[in-house]
Amino acid sequence: MSLPPDHLDPLFDRWRAEAPRLAAPLAPEVWRRIRAGRDGREPRGLAAFAAAFARPSFAIAFVSACVLGGLFFAELRVSRLQAERNTQLARSYVRLIDPLLNSLPPAGAKVGTSHR
Amino acid sequence: MKRALLVILAGLVSGVLAHVAWFDTHRPAGGEGLDSQLAWMQQTLALSPEQFARIKALHEQSSPQLLALAAQVARMRDEFAAFERERRTTGEVDFLEFAGFVEQRRAVDRECAESTRRLVLAASEILNPDQRETYLTLLNPALKGTDAVGVN
């Protein structure tokens, strides 16, 4: 009983055969491809930075982000100031309605018991 | 590169301008007087115009008496300091005079506590339950503080 033909068999046959000879040495070819890839790549560093800002869409997005950032930090400052102001007003109101709060004697000050 | 720097500069200037403009238009107003305190109450307690008018009238009515009491309390604090100075310098205190001071101070303390209580109660009656709770929470330090004050 014979097994049905498998489509992997030709691949196994090629694997068993001797490896094909290269037209040129391997290492120089690898370096050539690396150089070619490096030359074809996007510009890096400052050049990429300048290229990004040269795009109008990026420039508009950057300026908009700066404006939003400015508004955000201004709102943070306003909120903090408002909270401080509320605390200050609450204290002054409490002092207004309760005159005794202004009259705490200095810490540790006690009148002695000796008399004449 | 020059264009990038220009864009960065434009972004920074825009951000700073937006920051300054927003901060200047939304900065909380200053002031420490009764009007500022009433405006703060209106905002914090979300008072209706009618409630605000009644609260304002109540505080304007009570304010002179409270200020007079505060002045009296300050004067008594100075007297207390004078007793203390005398005790330190001479080693003695006029006991009868000091007893009179203590009695007077207790009377003023009682009057202060009573005035505060009356004002808080009258203000609370104007407020709805939620506003009242917020109001009393704000006053909590003062209401606790009165227990610890005074010459005993």
Side-chain angles (χ1 to χ4, degrees), chain A residues 43-70:
Chain A
R44 302 179 69 183
L46 277 178
F49 182 74
F53 278 95
R55 293 208 311 267
S57 57
F58 185 87
I60 291 171
F62 177 78
V63 173
S64 305
C66 286
V67 170
L68 289 176

PDB file of all heavy atoms in Angstrom, chain A residues 43-70:
ATOM      1  N   PRO A  43      14.691  60.940   6.722  1.00  0.00           N
ATOM      2  CA  PRO A  43      15.751  61.700   7.383  1.00  0.00           C
ATOM      3  C   PRO A  43      15.608  61.621   8.895  1.00  0.00           C
ATOM      4  O   PRO A  43      14.501  61.575   9.429  1.00  0.00           O
ATOM      5  CB  PRO A  43      15.508  63.124   6.881  1.00  0.00           C
ATOM      6  CG  PRO A  43      14.141  63.142   6.350  1.00  0.00           C
ATOM      7  CD  PRO A  43      13.839  61.758   5.885  1.00  0.00           C
ATOM      8  N   ARG A  44      16.731  61.661   9.621  1.00  0.00           N
ATOM      9  CA  ARG A  44      16.701  61.495  11.073  1.00  0.00           C
ATOM     10  C   ARG A  44      17.128  62.778  11.770  1.00  0.00           C
ATOM     11  O   ARG A  44      17.670  63.680  11.143  1.00  0.00           O
ATOM     12  CB  ARG A  44      17.634  60.355  11.480  1.00  0.00           C
ATOM     13  CG  ARG A  44      17.272  59.056  10.820  1.00  0.00           C
ATOM     14  CD  ARG A  44      18.225  57.988  11.244  1.00  0.00           C
ATOM     15  NE  ARG A  44      18.012  57.663  12.652  1.00  0.00           N
ATOM     16  CZ  ARG A  44      18.749  56.787  13.331  1.00  0.00           C
ATOM     17  NH1 ARG A  44      19.731  56.181  12.726  1.00  0.00           N
ATOM     18  NH2 ARG A  44      18.503  56.536  14.593  1.00  0.00           N
ATOM     19  N   GLY A  45      16.896  62.844  13.094  1.00  0.00           N
ATOM     20  CA  GLY A  45      17.380  63.934  13.917  1.00  0.00           C
ATOM     21  C   GLY A  45      16.800  65.270  13.530  1.00  0.00           C
ATOM     22  O   GLY A  45      15.592  65.418  13.323  1.00  0.00           O
ATOM     23  N   LEU A  46      17.684  66.243  13.422  1.00  0.00           N
ATOM     24  CA  LEU A  46      17.267  67.614  13.137  1.00  0.00           C
ATOM     25  C   LEU A  46      16.527  67.730  11.807  1.00  0.00           C
ATOM     26  O   LEU A  46      15.564  68.492  11.685  1.00  0.00           O
ATOM     27  CB  LEU A  46      18.479  68.533  13.119  1.00  0.00           C
ATOM     28  CG  LEU A  46      18.958  69.031  14.481  1.00  0.00           C
ATOM     29  CD1 LEU A  46      20.197  69.880  14.312  1.00  0.00           C
ATOM     30  CD2 LEU A  46      17.863  69.820  15.172  1.00  0.00           C
ATOM     31  N   ALA A  47      16.996  66.951  10.853  1.00  0.00           N
ATOM     32  CA  ALA A  47      16.368  67.019   9.534  1.00  0.00           C
ATOM     33  C   ALA A  47      14.913  66.570   9.611  1.00  0.00           C
ATOM     34  O   ALA A  47      14.007  67.209   9.044  1.00  0.00           O
ATOM     35  CB  ALA A  47      17.142  66.153   8.552  1.00  0.00           C
ATOM     36  N   ALA A  48      14.671  65.507  10.381  1.00  0.00           N
ATOM     37  CA  ALA A  48      13.292  65.028  10.534  1.00  0.00           C
ATOM     38  C   ALA A  48      12.449  66.052  11.279  1.00  0.00           C
ATOM     39  O   ALA A  48      11.280  66.288  10.951  1.00  0.00           O
ATOM     40  CB  ALA A  48      13.304  63.708  11.298  1.00  0.00           C
ATOM     41  N   PHE A  49      13.075  66.661  12.291  1.00  0.00           N
ATOM     42  CA  PHE A  49      12.404  67.692  13.086  1.00  0.00           C
ATOM     43  C   PHE A  49      11.963  68.849  12.185  1.00  0.00           C
ATOM     44  O   PHE A  49      10.799  69.281  12.193  1.00  0.00           O
ATOM     45  CB  PHE A  49      13.413  68.159  14.132  1.00  0.00           C
ATOM     46  CG  PHE A  49      12.926  69.191  15.080  1.00  0.00           C
ATOM     47  CD1 PHE A  49      12.051  68.857  16.096  1.00  0.00           C
ATOM     48  CD2 PHE A  49      13.363  70.500  14.977  1.00  0.00           C
ATOM     49  CE1 PHE A  49      11.616  69.808  16.988  1.00  0.00           C
ATOM     50  CE2 PHE A  49      12.936  71.455  15.870  1.00  0.00           C
ATOM     51  CZ  PHE A  49      12.056  71.109  16.874  1.00  0.00           C
ATOM     52  N   ALA A  50      12.909  69.329  11.365  1.00  0.00           N
ATOM     53  CA  ALA A  50      12.595  70.446  10.468  1.00  0.00           C
ATOM     54  C   ALA A  50      11.555  70.042   9.442  1.00  0.00           C
ATOM     55  O   ALA A  50      10.645  70.815   9.109  1.00  0.00           O
ATOM     56  CB  ALA A  50      13.865  70.918   9.784  1.00  0.00           C
ATOM     57  N   ALA A  51      11.684  68.808   8.975  1.00  0.00           N
ATOM     58  CA  ALA A  51      10.731  68.347   7.958  1.00  0.00           C
ATOM     59  C   ALA A  51       9.312  68.286   8.534  1.00  0.00           C
ATOM     60  O   ALA A  51       8.340  68.645   7.866  1.00  0.00           O
ATOM     61  CB  ALA A  51      11.155  66.969   7.452  1.00  0.00           C
ATOM     62  N   ALA A  52       9.205  67.873   9.823  1.00  0.00           N
ATOM     63  CA  ALA A  52       7.876  67.785  10.441  1.00  0.00           C
ATOM     64  C   ALA A  52       7.254  69.170  10.562  1.00  0.00           C
ATOM     65  O   ALA A  52       6.071  69.360  10.241  1.00  0.00           O
ATOM     66  CB  ALA A  52       7.998  67.135  11.816  1.00  0.00           C
ATOM     67  N   PHE A  53       8.044  70.127  11.015  1.00  0.00           N
ATOM     68  CA  PHE A  53       7.498  71.481  11.182  1.00  0.00           C
ATOM     69  C   PHE A  53       7.237  72.174   9.848  1.00  0.00           C
ATOM     70  O   PHE A  53       6.529  73.171   9.791  1.00  0.00           O
ATOM     71  CB  PHE A  53       8.435  72.329  12.045  1.00  0.00           C
ATOM     72  CG  PHE A  53       8.249  72.090  13.510  1.00  0.00           C
ATOM     73  CD1 PHE A  53       9.039  71.181  14.181  1.00  0.00           C
ATOM     74  CD2 PHE A  53       7.258  72.750  14.213  1.00  0.00           C
ATOM     75  CE1 PHE A  53       8.858  70.936  15.524  1.00  0.00           C
ATOM     76  CE2 PHE A  53       7.071  72.515  15.565  1.00  0.00           C
ATOM     77  CZ  PHE A  53       7.877  71.601  16.222  1.00  0.00           C
ATOM     78  N   ALA A  54       7.858  71.667   8.790  1.00  0.00           N
ATOM     79  CA  ALA A  54       7.622  72.263   7.476  1.00  0.00           C
ATOM     80  C   ALA A  54       6.238  71.885   6.947  1.00  0.00           C
ATOM     81  O   ALA A  54       5.704  72.554   6.066  1.00  0.00           O
ATOM     82  CB  ALA A  54       8.703  71.800   6.506  1.00  0.00           C
ATOM     83  N   ARG A  55       5.675  70.835   7.521  1.00  0.00           N
ATOM     84  CA  ARG A  55       4.335  70.423   7.072  1.00  0.00           C
ATOM     85  C   ARG A  55       3.297  71.337   7.704  1.00  0.00           C
ATOM     86  O   ARG A  55       3.250  71.468   8.938  1.00  0.00           O
ATOM     87  CB  ARG A  55       4.056  68.971   7.485  1.00  0.00           C
ATOM     88  CG  ARG A  55       4.940  67.962   6.770  1.00  0.00           C
ATOM     89  CD  ARG A  55       4.263  66.614   6.645  1.00  0.00           C
ATOM     90  NE  ARG A  55       3.706  66.132   7.895  1.00  0.00           N
ATOM     91  CZ  ARG A  55       4.338  65.339   8.749  1.00  0.00           C
ATOM     92  NH1 ARG A  55       5.555  64.930   8.469  1.00  0.00           N
ATOM     93  NH2 ARG A  55       3.755  64.944   9.858  1.00  0.00           N
ATOM     94  N   PRO A  56       2.444  72.003   6.920  1.00  0.00           N
ATOM     95  CA  PRO A  56       1.450  72.940   7.488  1.00  0.00           C
ATOM     96  C   PRO A  56       0.538  72.288   8.517  1.00  0.00           C
ATOM     97  O   PRO A  56       0.223  72.887   9.539  1.00  0.00           O
ATOM     98  CB  PRO A  56       0.655  73.394   6.268  1.00  0.00           C
ATOM     99  CG  PRO A  56       1.547  73.147   5.111  1.00  0.00           C
ATOM    100  CD  PRO A  56       2.383  71.963   5.453  1.00  0.00           C
ATOM    101  N   SER A  57       0.134  71.044   8.249  1.00  0.00           N
ATOM    102  CA  SER A  57      -0.797  70.396   9.194  1.00  0.00           C
ATOM    103  C   SER A  57      -0.136  70.240  10.558  1.00  0.00           C
ATOM    104  O   SER A  57      -0.746  70.480  11.608  1.00  0.00           O
ATOM    105  CB  SER A  57      -1.227  69.043   8.647  1.00  0.00           C
ATOM    106  OG  SER A  57      -0.085  68.246   8.421  1.00  0.00           O
ATOM    107  N   PHE A  58       1.152  69.861  10.549  1.00  0.00           N
ATOM    108  CA  PHE A  58       1.855  69.670  11.812  1.00  0.00           C
ATOM    109  C   PHE A  58       2.045  71.017  12.527  1.00  0.00           C
ATOM    110  O   PHE A  58       1.882  71.111  13.746  1.00  0.00           O
ATOM    111  CB  PHE A  58       3.211  69.008  11.565  1.00  0.00           C
ATOM    112  CG  PHE A  58       3.937  68.671  12.834  1.00  0.00           C
ATOM    113  CD1 PHE A  58       3.698  67.460  13.473  1.00  0.00           C
ATOM    114  CD2 PHE A  58       4.832  69.553  13.403  1.00  0.00           C
ATOM    115  CE1 PHE A  58       4.346  67.154  14.662  1.00  0.00           C
ATOM    116  CE2 PHE A  58       5.484  69.260  14.583  1.00  0.00           C
ATOM    117  CZ  PHE A  58       5.242  68.044  15.216  1.00  0.00           C
ATOM    118  N   ALA A  59       2.380  72.053  11.736  1.00  0.00           N
ATOM    119  CA  ALA A  59       2.587  73.385  12.338  1.00  0.00           C
ATOM    120  C   ALA A  59       1.305  73.888  12.992  1.00  0.00           C
ATOM    121  O   ALA A  59       1.319  74.397  14.126  1.00  0.00           O
ATOM    122  CB  ALA A  59       3.061  74.357  11.256  1.00  0.00           C
ATOM    123  N   ILE A  60       0.184  73.714  12.289  1.00  0.00           N
ATOM    124  CA  ILE A  60      -1.100  74.167  12.860  1.00  0.00           C
ATOM    125  C   ILE A  60      -1.432  73.367  14.126  1.00  0.00           C
ATOM    126  O   ILE A  60      -1.865  73.925  15.141  1.00  0.00           O
ATOM    127  CB  ILE A  60      -2.221  74.026  11.804  1.00  0.00           C
ATOM    128  CG1 ILE A  60      -1.989  75.045  10.688  1.00  0.00           C
ATOM    129  CG2 ILE A  60      -3.591  74.229  12.434  1.00  0.00           C
ATOM    130  CD1 ILE A  60      -2.885  74.857   9.489  1.00  0.00           C
ATOM    131  N   ALA A  61      -1.186  72.055  14.072  1.00  0.00           N
ATOM    132  CA  ALA A  61      -1.456  71.214  15.245  1.00  0.00           C
ATOM    133  C   ALA A  61      -0.572  71.637  16.415  1.00  0.00           C
ATOM    134  O   ALA A  61      -1.027  71.694  17.566  1.00  0.00           O
ATOM    135  CB  ALA A  61      -1.217  69.751  14.897  1.00  0.00           C
ATOM    136  N   PHE A  62       0.681  71.965  16.127  1.00  0.00           N
ATOM    137  CA  PHE A  62       1.605  72.367  17.196  1.00  0.00           C
ATOM    138  C   PHE A  62       1.144  73.663  17.855  1.00  0.00           C
ATOM    139  O   PHE A  62       1.089  73.771  19.088  1.00  0.00           O
ATOM    140  CB  PHE A  62       3.020  72.534  16.625  1.00  0.00           C
ATOM    141  CG  PHE A  62       4.013  73.019  17.630  1.00  0.00           C
ATOM    142  CD1 PHE A  62       4.558  72.154  18.572  1.00  0.00           C
ATOM    143  CD2 PHE A  62       4.399  74.354  17.657  1.00  0.00           C
ATOM    144  CE1 PHE A  62       5.460  72.609  19.514  1.00  0.00           C
ATOM    145  CE2 PHE A  62       5.299  74.815  18.592  1.00  0.00           C
ATOM    146  CZ  PHE A  62       5.840  73.931  19.524  1.00  0.00           C
ATOM    147  N   VAL A  63       0.811  74.666  17.025  1.00  0.00           N
ATOM    148  CA  VAL A  63       0.362  75.957  17.582  1.00  0.00           C
ATOM    149  C   VAL A  63      -0.937  75.770  18.376  1.00  0.00           C
ATOM    150  O   VAL A  63      -1.101  76.325  19.478  1.00  0.00           O
ATOM    151  CB  VAL A  63       0.191  77.001  16.456  1.00  0.00           C
ATOM    152  CG1 VAL A  63      -0.429  78.272  17.000  1.00  0.00           C
ATOM    153  CG2 VAL A  63       1.536  77.306  15.816  1.00  0.00           C
ATOM    154  N   SER A  64      -1.840  74.954  17.850  1.00  0.00           N
ATOM    155  CA  SER A  64      -3.102  74.701  18.569  1.00  0.00           C
ATOM    156  C   SER A  64      -2.832  74.029  19.907  1.00  0.00           C
ATOM    157  O   SER A  64      -3.447  74.376  20.928  1.00  0.00           O
ATOM    158  CB  SER A  64      -4.021  73.803  17.742  1.00  0.00           C
ATOM    159  OG  SER A  64      -4.214  74.363  16.481  1.00  0.00           O
ATOM    160  N   ALA A  65      -1.895  73.082  19.905  1.00  0.00           N
ATOM    161  CA  ALA A  65      -1.569  72.401  21.167  1.00  0.00           C
ATOM    162  C   ALA A  65      -0.986  73.382  22.176  1.00  0.00           C
ATOM    163  O   ALA A  65      -1.283  73.311  23.379  1.00  0.00           O
ATOM    164  CB  ALA A  65      -0.585  71.263  20.896  1.00  0.00           C
ATOM    165  N   CYS A  66      -0.160  74.323  21.668  1.00  0.00           N
ATOM    166  CA  CYS A  66       0.417  75.336  22.581  1.00  0.00           C
ATOM    167  C   CYS A  66      -0.693  76.199  23.183  1.00  0.00           C
ATOM    168  O   CYS A  66      -0.679  76.507  24.379  1.00  0.00           O
ATOM    169  CB  CYS A  66       1.419  76.212  21.843  1.00  0.00           C
ATOM    170  SG  CYS A  66       2.958  75.368  21.496  1.00  0.00           S
ATOM    171  N   VAL A  67      -1.645  76.609  22.357  1.00  0.00           N
ATOM    172  CA  VAL A  67      -2.758  77.447  22.848  1.00  0.00           C
ATOM    173  C   VAL A  67      -3.567  76.669  23.891  1.00  0.00           C
ATOM    174  O   VAL A  67      -3.874  77.177  24.983  1.00  0.00           O
ATOM    175  CB  VAL A  67      -3.657  77.886  21.673  1.00  0.00           C
ATOM    176  CG1 VAL A  67      -4.929  78.527  22.184  1.00  0.00           C
ATOM    177  CG2 VAL A  67      -2.900  78.859  20.777  1.00  0.00           C
ATOM    178  N   LEU A  68      -3.881  75.412  23.578  1.00  0.00           N
ATOM    179  CA  LEU A  68      -4.663  74.599  24.525  1.00  0.00           C
ATOM    180  C   LEU A  68      -3.894  74.386  25.827  1.00  0.00           C
ATOM    181  O   LEU A  68      -4.462  74.429  26.925  1.00  0.00           O
ATOM    182  CB  LEU A  68      -5.021  73.250  23.890  1.00  0.00           C
ATOM    183  CG  LEU A  68      -6.069  73.322  22.773  1.00  0.00           C
ATOM    184  CD1 LEU A  68      -6.276  71.943  22.163  1.00  0.00           C
ATOM    185  CD2 LEU A  68      -7.397  73.844  23.320  1.00  0.00           C
ATOM    186  N   GLY A  69      -2.582  74.164  25.687  1.00  0.00           N
ATOM    187  CA  GLY A  69      -1.752  74.004  26.891  1.00  0.00           C
ATOM    188  C   GLY A  69      -1.770  75.262  27.741  1.00  0.00           C
ATOM    189  O   GLY A  69      -1.890  75.202  28.972  1.00  0.00           O
ATOM    190  N   GLY A  70      -1.654  76.418  27.081  1.00  0.00           N
ATOM    191  CA  GLY A  70      -1.704  77.689  27.810  1.00  0.00           C
ATOM    192  C   GLY A  70      -3.023  77.861  28.535  1.00  0.00           C
ATOM    193  O   GLY A  70      -3.064  78.256  29.702  1.00  0.00           O
TER     194      GLY A  70
END
